[in-house]
Amino acid sequence: MVDMRMFRDEVTGWAAGGSGRPARELAELLGVHTAVLLEGLSDLAAVEALAAERGRDLAGEGVCVVSMGGAMSVGRYAGLLGPPGLGLRLLGLCDEREKPFFDRGLDPAWAPRPSHFVCAADLEDELIRALGTARIEQIIQAEDELRPWQTFLRQPAQHGRPRHQQLRRFLGTKKGRKIRYGRLLVEALAPDQVPAPLDDLFAGL
């Protein structure tokens, strides 16, 4: 069965130097008209979770959400998926420090304005501030990670740091944790708690 995941995999292979023909064929078959460019898999998990929470079938709407493996790849992906390539409409979500890559990679002539939405530090930072540190710690406990969290807090480097910063660092200390919590934190949001960059991205879809 042909689905958006197959298209996304072909795009990743194309960006790595493979043939673009399968991606072109799948884009036409699936009716893809918009690509959302994201830095990593934790952002992808968060966007897909919010789509599910809002009852949005992005694939059915012709929207492909792409994890690029880093903001420095945005020019490459934009060239393949935007007007020079497949001719798709392009949107993006990025961290504040990576904004210059998106500013350069998304040509104003190719994309609507605003074409990309910027998180104050990163998406995890936005989600922690939206939910509050106490709620994040409840989620950590519910995920049976209270002991690793307490061990982390005993590290000398964490002494005296604000709880917000400790939580943000903790989410990135184990492979796959940011991805898992990207979904969990979004699922814990009330409708009026969705961070502005994420909310604005969905408003543009």
Side-chain angles (χ1 to χ4, degrees), residues 66-173:
V66 180
S67 168
M68 302 181 295
M72 289 185 290
S73 298
V74 66
R76 173 70 172 157
Y77 276 84
L80 297 178
L81 298 177
L86 298 186
L88 307 182
R89 176 175 178 248
L90 301 176
L91 294 172
L93 182 73
C94 65
D95 302 347
E96 187 174 46
R97 67 180 177 276
E98 312 296 0
K99 183 177 182 294
F101 293 110
F102 277 71
D103 288 341
R104 291 192 298 269
L106 293 176
D107 189 313
W110 299 352
R113 289 289 143 187
S115 62
H116 49 288
F117 305 92
V118 183
C119 299
D122 54 27
L123 186 53
E124 288 75 28
D125 175 78
E126 294 276 0
L127 293 170
I128 292 168
R129 286 191 286 113
L131 287 166
T133 58
R135 182 70 181 100
I136 303 295
E137 291 189 73
Q138 289 175 354
I139 295 170
I140 289 172
Q141 184 171 4
E143 288 300 299
D144 199 27
E145 288 204 301
L146 185 59
R147 180 173 293 179
W149 168 236
Q150 292 172 339
T151 300
F152 172 81
L153 291 176
R154 288 195 291 270
Q155 296 177 2
Q158 301 307 319
H159 294 173
R161 295 187 72 193
R163 187 63 106 214
H164 179 103
Q165 293 180 14
Q166 292 170 334
L167 284 163
R168 184 168 167 241
R169 180 70 188 95
F170 175 73
L171 296 183
T173 56

